Amino acid sequence: MTVHLLQALHDALTVVADQLGTLPPSPAPTRGAGSGLQLPDAPPAPPAELTAYFQRVVGGGKWIALAIALLSMIYAGTKMMAGKSNRSNLAADGAASIPWIFGGIAVVMSAASIIMFMVGS
């Protein structure tokens, strides 16, 4: 039952594709162990204007992340300076946040690089 339905669907799509002339004719279904209807697989290709917009969004995200990192470093340094005398917990909290800031910078920059590599720019 399912094979007949798929064959009828394939025949209908082939007729429509041939009439329109814009689609290549679909390949004939192969009958074999584990193989079904073989469809063409087109490689992904983003539109040029979308690629430029995506690059601007990623660049803006990197800029915002670096601005937040700068403000975080200033805040951590201020906490360390304010906690220097008789407030050791405040100074320790400021010092402990510095590795987290650098870790966040590393994650944001590597994520942006990986994304732009995958986009193909």
Side-chain angles (χ1 to χ4, degrees), residues 16-113:
V16 169
D18 290 338
Q19 286 178 354
L20 290 177
T22 58
L23 299 174
S26 59
T30 58
R31 306 264 189 248
S35 64
L37 181 65
Q38 301 293 325
L39 297 176
D41 186 23
E49 50 285 336
L50 184 61
T51 303
Y53 175 75
F54 190 71
Q55 287 176 345
R56 280 200 327 253
V57 168
V58 171
K62 283 174 31 178
W63 185 86
I64 290 170
L66 288 177
I68 291 171
L70 174 67
L71 293 174
S72 298
M73 288 294 286
I74 291 172
Y75 182 66
T78 304
K79 284 173 76 171
M80 289 170 61
M81 289 185 295
K84 178 184 169 279
S85 58
N86 297 331
R87 292 187 204 101
S88 60
N89 284 344
L90 186 63
D93 187 37
S97 64
I98 292 175
W100 289 101
I101 295 169
F102 283 117
I105 292 170
V107 168
V108 168
M109 291 302 131
S110 61
S113 298

Side-chain angles (χ1 to χ4, degrees), residues 6-28:
L6 287 176
Q7 184 63 37
L9 181 62
H10 176 265
D11 293 340
L13 289 175
T14 303
V15 168
V16 169
D18 290 338
Q19 286 178 354
L20 290 177
T22 58
L23 299 174
S26 59

